[in-house]
Amino acid sequence: MALDDLYREVIMDHYRSPRNYGSLDNPTHTISLTNPFCGDEIILELQVSDGVVSAAKFTGRGCSISQASASLMTEAIIGKPVDDAVAMMRGFRRMMRGQLENEEEMGDLVALAGVGKFPVRVKCAVFPWEALRQALTPEQLPDDD
Ligand code: ZN
């Protein structure tokens, strides 16, 4: 199986069977966001305790890229210290600009790297991470960070 096909398979699998879909009983952070570029919607809920993202769930609707990205993101950040989750968010944004620094660290998220070639879809892939950014880092990040 070609790598592109494998990645497409991962994306479609997460789109069809999103992981961590739903809502938390006692979220510490709730962010609701709409992507003006293609109408994607997400409600991201986090439970942060002792500086660790102990739980994350989302609901929403939208294109396959945004939904798969949200699903992959929750899998990637659960159990991570907030600082690591923020570092991963920055790494993901860089990956979307073609700068994949640490493939191992990005894990399954690498399946979305190919989206970087399609600027219109980058907004969809980054969208759930933008919700995470707003939840965890109140300050505005410059686009190149
Ligand atoms: Zn979209």
Side-chain angles (χ1 to χ4, degrees), residues 37-58:
F37 296 95
C38 89
D40 304 320
E41 294 171 1
I42 188 172
I43 297 170
L44 177 67
E45 295 187 343
L46 304 175
Q47 178 111 44
V48 175
S49 37
D50 297 327
V52 172
V53 181
S54 51
K57 282 197 172 192
F58 77 100

Side-chain angles (χ1 to χ4, degrees), residues 4 7 11 65 92-100 109-126:
D4 275 359
Y7 288 164
I11 291 169
I65 299 292
F92 187 85
R93 288 159 63 114
R94 285 194 295 271
M95 183 175 81
M96 284 296 112
R97 292 197 302 272
Q99 300 159 20
L100 179 53
L109 296 170
V110 169
L112 287 163
V115 174
K117 282 177 271 181
F118 308 96
V120 182
R121 309 315 304 279
V122 166
K123 307 260 187 224
C124 300
V126 170

Side-chain angles (χ1 to χ4, degrees), residues 71-92:
S71 172
L72 283 158
M73 179 183 80
T74 55
E75 281 203 319
I77 61 171
I78 290 172
K80 290 238 165 36
V82 167
D83 287 352
D84 289 6
V86 170
M88 190 162 264
M89 179 267 293
R90 293 193 164 109
F92 187 85

